[in-house]
Amino acid sequence: MSLPAHFHVDRAVNALKWPAAFGSMLVLMPAFATLVEAVKPFWLNHNRGIAFLAGAALFALPVLLRRRIPSLGFWATFEHEMTHILFALLTLHPVRSIQATDGNGGVMSYSGSGNWLVTISPYFFPTVPLVAGIIAMLLPSSLRPFGIAAVGFSLAWHLAATLRETHPGQTDLQKVGFPFALAFLPGITLLCLGFVLALAYRGAYGPEWFWLRLSSNFAKALPW
């Protein structure tokens, strides 16, 4: 009897765990430089910059007034579990179930033993902001500011939710190991955030622009 496809995918992904961490550390500074370049056009284009800030302010203002991050409830948990599911499907795992609650966490299950990428995915991958960025990309130019406002709100929401979920008691981080998480998460998080912002501002040209700028910044960072 042949082994299921996800078994072979898991072996390959797990073998790449520390190479992926090393690669993320290598691109940390180029990714930061590219993120700064992705942010800059928002401040040069007042309409889009104000739209982005307005969206972020819809989430940030209550946080500033209360001086604490509010409980993000069911939807933050649901996004967390859906990101697990997304990466489980991308690595060919049949998903069995999902459960999300308001205040008591969530859980999802899938066939197979899994891999580190499924486990750690919610801590770097901005699922909702990416969807908002795609929607912004598809909107006509006259409506693009509304899409950008949605990106601003969803990014603020995502960052707040991820901040609350990232702590020593988090079982996902315990499972992959804190040394690995510290090595892998900063670089890959900056990459994902920069990509979403490039997509939201530049539309269909955003991905190409992002990878060209990242490649250029990486080349500049090389010591030779």
Side-chain angles (χ1 to χ4, degrees), residues 136-201:
M137 176 188 72
L138 297 175
L139 289 175
S141 180
S142 60
L143 297 178
R144 181 71 62 80
F146 294 99
I148 290 175
V151 172
F153 178 87
S154 62
L155 269 178
W157 179 74
H158 168 77
L159 292 172
T162 303
L163 179 64
R164 287 182 64 88
E165 294 165 355
T166 306
H167 55 80
Q170 179 57 251
T171 55
D172 289 335
L173 299 179
Q174 292 172 0
K175 187 175 180 179
V176 300
F178 290 108
F180 171 76
L182 287 172
F184 178 72
L185 286 176
I188 192 66
T189 299
L190 293 178
L191 279 176
C192 290
L193 294 178
F195 182 86
V196 168
L197 290 175
L199 186 68
Y201 187 88

Side-chain angles (χ1 to χ4, degrees):
M1 183 177 178
S2 61
L3 294 170
H6 59 72
F7 175 85
H8 302 289
V9 173
D10 286 342
R11 289 186 62 182
V13 171
N14 288 330
L16 293 173
K17 179 178 179 179
W18 280 103
F22 181 68
S24 184
M25 289 188 290
L26 279 180
V27 301
L28 177 61
M29 293 311 298
F32 177 76
T34 307
L35 175 61
V36 171
E37 292 178 2
V39 169
K40 188 176 180 180
F42 285 94
W43 315 133
L44 299 178
N45 184 315
H46 291 168
N47 289 338
R48 295 185 180 185
I50 291 172
F52 183 87
L53 286 176
L58 287 175
F59 181 86
L61 187 59
V63 175
L64 294 174
L65 292 176
R66 298 175 186 177
R67 297 184 180 180
R68 64 182 179 86
I69 298 173
S71 174
L72 298 169
F74 169 82
W75 291 109
T77 303
F78 182 73
E79 184 208 19
H80 183 102
E81 299 305 326
M82 286 302 298
T83 306
H84 280 311
I85 285 177
L86 173 62
F87 279 82
L89 293 173
L90 288 173
T91 52
L92 306 184
H93 291 271
V95 174
R96 294 175 176 172
S97 65
I98 177 175
Q99 179 181 355
T101 65
D102 184 359
N104 292 315
V107 64
M108 54 83 68
S109 64
Y110 54 90
S111 300
S113 57
N115 57 70
W116 61 268
L117 189 57
V118 174
T119 303
I120 204 172
S121 57
Y123 303 91
F124 71 86
F125 192 77
T127 304
V128 173
L130 180 61
V131 172
I134 293 172
I135 292 173
M137 176 188 72
L138 297 175
L139 289 175
S141 180
S142 60
L143 297 178
R144 181 71 62 80
F146 294 99
I148 290 175
V151 172
F153 178 87
S154 62
L155 269 178
W157 179 74
H158 168 77
L159 292 172
T162 303
L163 179 64
R164 287 182 64 88
E165 294 165 355
T166 306
H167 55 80
Q170 179 57 251
T171 55
D172 289 335
L173 299 179
Q174 292 172 0
K175 187 175 180 179
V176 300
F178 290 108
F180 171 76
L182 287 172
F184 178 72
L185 286 176
I188 192 66
T189 299
L190 293 178
L191 279 176
C192 290
L193 294 178
F195 182 86
V196 168
L197 290 175
L199 186 68
Y201 187 88
R202 301 176 185 275
Y205 178 60
E208 180 183 356
W209 176 90
F210 178 79
W211 294 116
L212 287 174
R213 294 308 306 152
L214 179 65
S215 299
S216 176
N217 289 326
F218 182 77
K220 292 177 183 178
L222 293 175
W224 56 83

